[in-house]
Amino acid sequence: MADDRKSFIIKEDANGGVNIADEVVAIIAGLAATEVEGVASLAGNLTNEVISKAGANKLAKGVKVLSVDDGKLAVRMSVNISFGYEIPKICQQIQEKVKSSIENMTGLEVASVDIKIAAVSVDNE
């Protein structure tokens, strides 16, 4: 099963190389998305609170990372938005946050962040 995992090369030199698993990139993307105000959770109800209790590796299930032209990445994710927020505005914030988080933490270039709105969450507090 470990052979099915994709990885991305971050660095290669005379001392060796550094690869990062696609699942790690997906976790970074998922955590970044759930930090945006108005995002209730990732599809499957993965909130920051659930992630901290269940473990971040569950987060990768709501995010798909693909390799596209020239070694760039494409990220696809499904999110649940809280009622009352502007969907286009929230999606733009998610895209910016996910792109900058992945690029800052890994050095990999993100070509696109595609978002699917899976549901609108209505909390009765």
Side-chain angles (χ1 to χ4, degrees), residues 34 40-51 78 80 119 121:
T34 58
S41 61
L42 292 181
N45 295 322
L46 291 173
T47 63
N48 270 331
E49 295 79 31
V50 172
I51 293 161
S78 295
N80 300 326
S121 175

Side-chain angles (χ1 to χ4, degrees), residues 2 14 18 30 39 49 81 107 119:
V18 178
V39 175
E49 295 79 31
I81 301 294

Side-chain angles (χ1 to χ4, degrees), residues 20-56:
I20 186 166
D22 61 341
E23 186 173 311
V24 173
V25 178
I27 290 168
I28 293 168
L31 286 170
T34 58
E35 290 177 355
V36 174
E37 184 180 349
V39 175
S41 61
L42 292 181
N45 295 322
L46 291 173
T47 63
N48 270 331
E49 295 79 31
V50 172
I51 293 161
S52 65
K53 292 176 186 170

Side-chain angles (χ1 to χ4, degrees), residues 20 24-36 63-65 68 71-77 90-115:
I20 186 166
V24 173
V25 178
I27 290 168
I28 293 168
L31 286 170
T34 58
E35 290 177 355
V36 174
V63 181
K64 185 167 184 147
V65 180
V68 294
K72 296 179 184 177
L73 305 180
V75 179
R76 295 185 182 146
M77 58 180 20
I90 296 299
C91 289
Q92 181 180 2
Q93 291 174 356
I94 294 168
Q95 289 169 323
E96 291 169 358
K97 180 82 172 178
V98 167
K99 183 179 188 324
S100 68
S101 293
I102 291 171
E103 289 179 349
N104 289 334
M105 291 185 73
T106 67
L108 296 168
E109 189 174 346
V110 177
S112 65
V113 178
D114 299 317
I115 301 168

